[in-house]
Amino acid sequence: MLVTACAGSGGAGAPSTAPPSATPPEVLCARIVAHWSREVLDGGTYGDYQSMGLSNGQYDILRSVVDDARAAKKREGAGAAYELINRQSREGCAARYRSGGPDKGPWR
């Protein structure tokens, strides 16, 4: 019988050294806002926030980010716009979730 182990797995039956952890909501928010901001910037049109999987508050962040990214793209090119999208998505979502999340209902 041939037994193999995945590289870095610690061998068969070895306990995991790191417990699984949930991704913080501000990180998830930043990822999805940045993704859809790039899509909107490249496609030129907004979709429905619910079809994007965004809350109303996250959509507000997206609209602000895209407005600034469009201006940056005209001035400095797409690379600068993408950097701005990443930075402002992280900042906007960090501010939104600083107190733990939306304060009134799921779509705030």
Side-chain angles (χ1 to χ4, degrees):
M1 172 185 258
L2 178 63
V3 177
T4 60
C6 295
S9 69
S16 174
T17 58
S21 60
T23 303
E26 65 274 10
V27 173
L28 292 174
C29 171
R31 286 178 186 165
I32 195 167
V33 168
H35 167 80
W36 284 112
S37 293
R38 287 187 295 273
E39 291 288 322
V40 171
L41 182 67
D42 292 340
T45 184
Y46 288 93
D48 174 63
Y49 71 94
Q50 291 173 326
S51 69
M52 294 176 174
L54 300 173
S55 70
N56 188 42
Q58 292 166 338
Y59 194 66
D60 289 342
I61 296 168
L62 176 137
R63 287 192 320 239
S64 175
V65 168
V66 171
D67 287 347
D68 290 347
R70 283 181 174 152
K73 187 175 181 180
K74 286 180 184 177
R75 286 190 317 270
E76 304 168 54
Y82 290 150
E83 288 177 24
L84 181 142
I85 285 171
N86 291 334
R87 183 181 67 253
Q88 286 191 356
S89 295
R90 283 191 310 270
E91 292 169 357
C93 289
R96 176 165 173 71
Y97 288 93
R98 187 166 287 125
S99 64
D103 60 351
K104 296 178 185 169
W107 300 108
R108 292 273 303 158

